[in-house]
Amino acid sequence: MVLSTPALCFPVRLLPFFNEVIYFVMKAIIVDNEQPAIDLLKMMLEEDGRIEVAAVFLKPREAIEKLESLQPDVVFLDVDMPVMNGLHLAERIRESGEHTEIVFVSAYRQYALPAFQYNAVHYLLKPITREGIAETVKRLLQRKPAASTSAAPAATDCPPSIKAECLGSFRVTDASGRLVKWRTLKTEELMAYLLIKGRHPIPKWDIISDLWNDLPDEQAHSHLHTTLYKLKKTLKSHGFTPLIDFSSGHYHVDFFGINGDWTEFEAFALSNEPVTAASEAAYKRWIEDYKGDLFGKLDYPWSLPYRERFAGYYQRMVIVVSRYWIKQGEHWVAESALLNLLEHCCCCEEAYELLLWIYFERGDRNSLVRQFKRMKQVLQSELGVAPRPAIMTLYREMLGKLGN
């Protein structure tokens, strides 16, 4: 049952803050299956004056139904409730968005640890005291700093730069060049996941399936929320706040202000820029900047199709620009690029074929034979196949023309 509160006219509390006046009232809802507990908490919050109780609920499901329309700044949740307890309700609140703060209220201490997995502001023990309310409001104000009368620019207006290197390794650095150190390996993996997949809405179940498929659903949910909290907290400590929101079963991610080598690399690869005297330098720059597979040694299972995609971009760039260099007579430049390509993609037959042409045109019979034998051995050991018949024929013709 929803218990609507009468229209309340709270005095606006004026708070001193760096010699400015700040107007601040937070909107709250209370969810508890005991009416006396609701009445006491509501009275204490109203006495404080900085929190307006917009509605109270005896049933958690009714609170969920009204959450979107009420848009509260904070929800006070009793933990021990029938049908749906406060922890399950907190999970539903987190799924609906990251902007609503949560304060748990309980007579039992044993729920405190699991409660904070949902990024709770505070855990109030019953019986509630005015000191406990004061501490809660203090923490809420620290989480949601009020808007000052002199308007400050929004956080998204001029976001600090942060840089991510994903080709050949995975490194994130802040605007001052400091390396971002992740609290857990899973936090680091989630950051990599969101960077690559976050350009489109990501279904929540895809994240759970890709990162926590070995855990029961409830435990996986808990790990996702906890890891997201750690990720945002780590980035915030480096002066960067990404937008990570949840709606309609999907996470929406915006890493505005982030510079990434993989995004620029992919944009150039997809441009299909013809190789000319004007674009040659850009091709050379990108194939030299390619340091290896996406995320390097962090070969996350979910990243395999992305690793293959970027390796394909690199392979195509090298082949295209090497053909150009061979036509221009720059055999040594082409040879170097092709040999580097084979260090990353050892089974690329096109690279071997172009190298055979280079050694043939150079009249270097020994290198021609050596490279053909290497190709034959690699293809057999890695793929269990022989070189294509066309390459076999080409090789025999080259040997015949070069003679002994």
Side-chain angles (χ1 to χ4, degrees):
M1 180 175 64
V2 182
L3 304 177
S4 300
T5 60
L8 300 173
C9 298
F10 291 93
V12 176
R13 182 68 61 92
L14 302 182
L15 302 174
F17 185 75
F18 293 98
N19 299 320
E20 297 178 351
V21 177
I22 296 176
Y23 299 83
F24 191 75
V25 177
M26 297 187 76
K27 184 195 292 186
I29 65 174
I30 301 172
V31 188
D32 197 313
N33 66 317
E34 296 179 354
Q35 186 62 49
I38 288 178
D39 294 340
L40 178 60
L41 177 56
K42 181 171 176 288
M43 179 192 73
M44 289 186 171
L45 292 174
E46 291 174 358
E47 283 181 358
D48 180 274
R50 289 171 289 179
I51 294 184
E52 173 188 353
V53 181
V56 299
F57 301 89
L58 290 168
K59 295 181 179 180
R61 294 195 182 279
E62 292 178 349
I64 292 172
E65 293 171 2
K66 295 291 183 180
L67 197 63
E68 186 174 352
S69 61
L70 288 170
Q71 292 288 306
D73 296 303
V74 56
V75 180
F76 288 83
L77 299 179
D78 181 29
V79 177
D80 192 22
M81 293 185 288
V83 184
M84 179 186 292
N85 66 31
L87 298 178
H88 291 150
L89 178 54
E91 181 177 334
R92 297 290 296 273
I93 292 171
R94 280 286 166 261
E95 289 177 355
S96 68
E98 297 288 332
H99 307 300
T100 301
E101 302 290 2
I102 295 174
V103 176
F104 286 103
V105 184
S106 177
Y108 306 100
R109 293 181 180 272
Q110 64 263 33
Y111 295 115
L113 186 58
F116 280 103
Q117 292 181 348
Y118 298 98
N119 192 17
V121 174
H122 200 15
Y123 190 90
L124 276 173
L125 279 172
K126 296 178 180 179
I128 299 169
T129 64
R130 286 176 174 79
E131 289 76 14
I133 293 294
E135 176 61 25
T136 299
V137 174
K138 176 183 175 183
R139 295 187 184 192
L140 285 167
L141 290 173
Q142 290 172 344
R143 288 280 191 102
K144 290 183 176 288
S148 72
T149 52
S150 59
T156 59
D157 287 349
C158 188
S161 175
I162 197 165
K163 183 179 179 182
E165 298 174 16
C166 299
L167 299 177
S169 62
F170 183 47
R171 287 169 45 88
V172 179
T173 52
D174 63 18
S176 65
R178 284 190 306 150
L179 180 67
V180 175
K181 296 183 179 180
W182 306 103
R183 296 178 64 184
T184 65
L185 293 176
K186 228 33 173 187
T187 308
E188 181 180 32
E189 182 178 0
L190 182 59
M191 179 66 181
Y193 188 94
L194 296 179
L195 280 174
I196 296 300
K197 294 200 172 191
R199 285 178 283 185
H200 305 284
I202 313 172
K204 176 185 67 176
W205 287 108
D206 282 4
I207 303 177
I208 289 175
S209 175
D210 287 337
L211 272 70
W212 290 284
N213 63 349
D214 57 335
L215 298 178
D217 287 350
E218 187 172 349
Q219 193 175 353
H221 271 90
S222 177
H223 279 266
L224 172 58
H225 295 309
T226 303
T227 307
L228 272 173
Y229 168 67
K230 290 176 180 176
L231 184 150
K232 289 190 288 187
K233 186 175 181 181
T234 299
L235 290 177
K236 189 175 181 181
S237 71
H238 285 264
F240 184 76
T241 305
L243 176 63
I244 302 176
D245 204 1
F246 184 88
S247 63
S248 304
H250 292 70
Y251 278 95
H252 305 262
V253 183
D254 190 349
F255 284 110
F256 38 71
I258 198 164
N259 298 316
D261 57 353
W262 84 101
T263 55
E264 296 177 19
F265 181 81
E266 184 173 44
F268 182 77
L270 294 177
S271 71
N272 291 316
E273 179 82 17
V275 186
T276 63
S279 64
E280 176 189 356
Y283 270 93
K284 190 173 183 180
R285 171 203 163 195
W286 282 116
I287 63 177
E288 287 177 352
D289 283 353
Y290 185 82
K291 306 302 182 187
D293 287 337
L294 191 70
F295 304 131
K297 294 180 180 179
L298 301 175
D299 53 346
Y300 306 123
W302 55 265
S303 71
L304 179 59
Y306 298 93
R307 292 164 69 90
E308 291 177 347
R309 180 200 299 177
F310 280 85
Y313 291 153
Y314 170 64
Q315 180 175 317
R316 178 190 163 277
M317 281 189 205
V318 175
I319 295 299
V320 169
V321 76
S322 293
R323 291 185 187 279
Y324 172 82
W325 282 328
I326 291 171
K327 288 181 181 179
Q328 299 297 314
E330 299 182 58
H331 292 168
W332 295 105
V333 181
E335 179 187 13
S336 176
L338 290 166
L339 291 174
N340 283 334
L341 169 60
L342 290 174
E343 291 298 317
H344 297 294
C345 312
C346 65
C347 297
C348 179
E349 281 191 87
E350 283 185 277
Y352 287 113
E353 184 178 355
L354 290 177
L355 284 169
L356 295 182
W357 274 109
I358 289 172
Y359 298 136
F360 172 72
E361 292 188 11
R362 197 186 290 166
D364 187 347
R365 191 178 194 280
N366 290 337
S367 295
L368 177 72
V369 173
R370 185 170 59 251
Q371 198 60 244
F372 180 80
K373 288 181 177 179
R374 178 192 176 193
M375 173 182 62
K376 190 175 180 181
Q377 179 184 359
V378 169
L379 292 179
Q380 183 61 47
S381 62
E382 296 292 329
L383 303 178
V385 299
R388 289 182 291 113
I391 293 183
M392 299 283 286
T393 302
L394 176 67
Y395 174 66
R396 285 193 291 267
E397 290 178 355
M398 288 177 172
L399 281 182
K401 290 179 179 180
L402 288 177
N404 294 327

